[in-house]
Amino acid sequence: MKDVTIIGGGISGLTAGIYAQLSGLQSEIYERHTIVGGQCTSWTRNGFHIDNCVHWMTGTNPKTELYQLWTDVGVLGNGQELLKHDYFLQVNIDGVKAHVWRDLNKMQDELLAIAPEDAKEICSFIKAIKDFQAISIPALKPNEQMNFWDKIKMLSMIKALPVARKFGTMSIDDYIKRFKNPTIKALISNYLPKQYYVLATFFMYAMFTTGNADLPLGGSDMITNRMRDTYLSLGGEIHCRKKANKFVIENQRVTKVEFEDGSATETKNVICTTDPSVSFALLGETYMDAIFRKCYADKKSYPIFSEVNVYFSVETSIAHLPIMELFNCEHFKIAKKTHSVLCMNNYADEPNFAPEGKGLMQILVVQYEEDYEYWNNLYTTDKEAYRQAKTALVKEIQSRLEKHYPELQGKLTEIECVTPKSFNRFTGAYKGSYMGFVQTPHVEKMTHTGIIDGLNNFHLAGQWLLTPGGLPNALITGRWAVQRLLQRENRLHDFCCKKK
């Protein structure tokens, strides 16, 4: 019997495994899929590499605590190259182009030239981003383990407080009403869901402009492989094709995990990193606490979102196109919802994603819970109708791509179409959500310790424990789960005792 049994081999599970091994705890990971990585996933199709996760990664600035975590798990450091672009996003609305530049002064000058009528709000917007550059996510310890000096260090973020107070109860949709120009509105509102509180936009752009949200060369595949190799090098064990079916609970302890293939393993401690909807199904719904019940029940305050991702191969290089462009287009429908914006992600900087002389692009369309229900209903009731709906959508998107990029007419071929149902089928994601609950204004930020009442040897970890989720929170909660486990056993002094 190992010291720690980890269910789920995604980013959080691999992180928990690495820190368990570094702390002298023998661990093993059980993963339902054929490979580890969870939602940080990629695959090859027709000679093209499909990356269905990472577009940017918080924690690439060496001065941050997150960078230390990424280094501990093997993702950063040791010569790992980062893609550092001059701009994060180009927005093109009816031919008027604006950028999220790394140089905020350059960004302000460009926005003022485009929309002098919005000068006051543009300057306020840029100042908010600059003030949010003071934020650095606390990642080394969970809050209850911080001492006085740990909390004193957080005072360095005080510069962001006035912005948080001023705009903290405002959604992105509310905030863009302060602007007149449609291109400026799109720059602020069309990358993240509009229900998000606007502070999320300030934070995202602040991280990029401080070099704290760059992209590791190799993307999701590199991240997952480096973490897997780090874990295995420390003596950890990985078991794939092992889908957990039930947690056996005796005397307030999870004593055994039963798997779908009929096998089982006895457990001393369990860290469960699966989607919480899966975790509580394995435990039994009675173990779901008030925090999660509230989030799942209050869909307006804690919505979820997903995407349709369509990948096209291009019979020529597309290095001349923007690295990421959001543009308006002719209206099209998914189910009953009308869309008029597409976001194109260009992989020209990744040398191994497409054969030489060819290109690969990803098109993203935001989806919500009701959209998931549309795709799920099609898939469960009529798989042929599901396939036809995907085919029709791909044609709609391709025609708009060829209109926007006329030089690509006749050179695009669909490689893959990923729907919210795809996210759910292959990763177990709740209703296809690849992030956690959306952080909306007027509601308390969702945080969870991962400790479940009535279970003494069980911890949750994963992006759903801290809104809005994503890779950094999966990483953080994996580390914190090990720290909390050790604290319960009065062995916190052993944390990372074997770290070189």
Side-chain angles (χ1 to χ4, degrees):
M1 185 190 305
K2 300 291 185 181
D3 296 312
V4 187
T5 300
I6 299 166
I7 305 301
I11 298 303
S12 195
L14 289 167
T15 302
I18 290 168
Y19 281 114
Q21 297 297 131
L22 287 172
S23 303
L25 300 170
Q26 293 303 305
S27 67
E28 57 187 346
I29 293 173
Y30 290 88
E31 166 57 41
R32 61 177 259 174
H33 211 325
T34 57
I35 56 173
V36 293
Q39 294 207 59
C40 188
T41 188
S42 58
W43 59 94
T44 299
R45 185 78 77 232
N46 300 334
F48 292 83
H49 187 75
I50 307 299
D51 191 321
N52 204 57
C53 179
V54 62
H55 298 117
W56 55 291
M57 192 178 83
T58 306
T60 56
N61 187 324
K63 297 178 181 179
T64 64
E65 294 184 1
L66 266 176
Y67 184 90
Q68 179 179 323
L69 269 65
W70 286 124
T71 303
D72 286 347
V73 300
V75 172
L76 296 180
N78 295 321
Q80 172 58 42
E81 184 178 347
L82 294 172
L83 296 174
K84 293 178 174 287
H85 297 114
D86 290 336
Y87 65 95
F88 175 77
L89 172 70
Q90 173 177 293
V91 171
N92 185 339
I93 302 299
D94 296 328
V96 179
K97 300 175 184 178
H99 302 78
V100 178
W101 292 106
R102 192 179 294 269
D103 181 340
L104 279 175
N105 292 327
K106 181 177 182 179
M107 181 175 168
Q108 178 168 298
D109 290 345
E110 181 180 77
L111 299 186
L112 289 172
I114 292 170
E117 68 275 18
D118 287 323
K120 180 180 177 180
E121 293 301 333
I122 288 170
C123 292
S124 172
F125 174 56
I126 298 298
K127 184 179 184 303
I129 297 171
K130 288 181 177 179
D131 288 349
F132 258 49
Q133 290 177 336
I135 293 178
S136 182
I137 297 173
L140 298 182
K141 299 177 183 178
N143 186 63
E144 71 274 14
Q145 293 180 11
M146 288 185 179
N147 59 35
F148 174 77
W149 297 111
D150 294 325
K151 294 181 178 180
I152 284 292
K153 285 196 300 184
M154 295 175 64
L155 291 176
S156 63
M157 296 187 280
I158 199 168
K159 187 176 180 181
L161 189 58
V163 176
R165 286 176 172 169
K166 182 177 181 179
F167 298 108
T169 58
M170 192 174 292
S171 69
I172 293 174
D173 202 32
D174 291 333
Y175 181 70
I176 62 171
K177 293 174 184 175
R178 302 165 73 100
F179 296 84
K180 301 179 180 67
N181 187 278
T183 302
I184 309 301
K185 288 185 176 185
L187 184 82
I188 298 168
S189 68
N190 281 110
Y191 188 76
L192 293 174
K194 293 182 180 180
Q195 300 101 311
Y196 259 100
Y197 66 163
V198 73
L199 301 185
T201 298
F202 300 157
F203 174 81
M204 179 174 64
Y205 292 166
M207 294 304 98
F208 174 73
T209 55
T210 55
N212 199 29
D214 293 319
L215 182 63
L217 185 69
S220 299
D221 195 47
M222 181 283 300
I223 293 170
T224 297
N225 289 344
R226 281 197 165 209
M227 293 184 72
R228 177 202 62 202
D229 293 347
T230 300
Y231 177 62
L232 293 175
S233 73
L234 292 168
E237 297 179 15
I238 295 174
H239 310 278
C240 290
R241 295 187 175 93
K242 300 292 285 188
K243 183 178 180 180
N245 196 45
K246 181 183 178 181
F247 292 136
V248 177
I249 301 171
E250 299 174 358
N251 299 321
Q252 296 189 327
R253 297 179 67 85
V254 176
T255 59
K256 184 188 295 185
V257 181
E258 296 178 348
F259 298 97
E260 198 171 61
D261 62 6
S263 64
T265 186
E266 294 183 349
T267 59
K268 182 178 179 182
N269 289 288
V270 175
I271 295 177
C272 186
T273 69
T274 62
D275 187 287
S277 64
V278 175
S279 303
F280 289 114
L282 295 173
L283 285 170
E285 293 296 326
T286 56
Y287 283 95
M288 184 181 291
D289 59 20
I291 296 175
F292 273 108
R293 288 186 186 280
K294 177 182 178 181
C295 291
Y296 283 124
D298 189 352
K299 298 178 184 295
K300 183 177 180 181
S301 298
Y302 300 95
I304 59 172
F305 75 103
S306 184
E307 286 176 347
V308 166
N309 292 336
V310 182
Y311 297 84
F312 291 95
S313 65
V314 188
E315 291 298 314
T316 186
S317 170
I318 52 173
H320 65 288
L321 295 182
I323 54 169
M324 185 179 292
E325 183 176 41
L326 190 149
F327 60 91
N328 62 329
C329 62
E330 182 183 350
H331 290 63
F332 63 97
K333 283 191 173 184
I334 300 178
K336 296 180 181 180
K337 194 174 295 182
T338 299
H339 299 265
S340 60
V341 172
L342 292 175
C343 185
M344 183 278 295
N345 189 33
N346 179 358
Y347 292 104
D349 283 349
E350 288 283 2
N352 299 317
F353 278 28
E356 188 174 353
K358 297 188 178 183
L360 175 68
M361 61 170 56
Q362 175 194 43
I363 307 303
L364 305 91
V365 183
V366 174
Q367 301 275 268
Y368 296 97
E369 185 169 348
E370 59 270 25
D371 301 304
Y372 169 80
E373 300 298 348
Y374 162 75
W375 292 110
N376 183 57
N377 182 61
L378 278 180
Y379 183 83
T380 54
T381 61
D382 189 342
K383 288 185 175 59
E384 181 57 33
Y386 175 76
R387 285 189 287 268
Q388 290 176 3
K390 290 206 298 182
T391 299
L393 177 59
V394 169
K395 288 181 178 178
E396 294 269 23
I397 290 174
Q398 183 170 342
S399 68
R400 285 153 181 78
L401 275 177
E402 292 179 342
K403 184 175 181 180
H404 187 70
Y405 306 114
E407 70 272 26
L408 301 185
Q409 189 149 6
K411 298 178 180 179
L412 298 175
T413 303
E414 178 207 351
I415 296 292
E416 192 77 275
C417 179
V418 179
T419 71
K421 182 59 183 175
S422 307
F423 283 96
N424 170 257
R425 288 175 59 214
F426 291 105
T427 69
Y430 175 68
K431 297 194 175 182
S433 178
Y434 64 88
M435 296 276 284
F437 297 107
V438 171
Q439 179 63 47
T440 58
H442 307 296
V443 297
E444 186 178 354
K445 180 180 174 66
M446 192 284 190
T447 61
H448 197 289
T449 64
I451 295 174
I452 303 299
D453 287 344
L455 294 175
N456 298 327
N457 69 333
F458 182 90
H459 295 78
L460 293 175
Q463 64 166 346
W464 290 84
L465 272 61
L466 298 171
T467 52
L471 291 178
N473 286 332
L475 179 77
I476 290 169
T477 57
R479 175 184 167 105
W480 289 359
V482 175
Q483 290 171 301
R484 285 168 168 146
L485 184 160
L486 288 169
Q487 185 176 35
R488 271 183 159 183
E489 296 188 347
N490 296 315
R491 296 175 53 195
L492 190 54
H493 56 277
D494 286 335
F495 183 70
C496 282
C497 62
K498 294 192 174 183
K499 183 178 175 182
K500 294 180 181 179

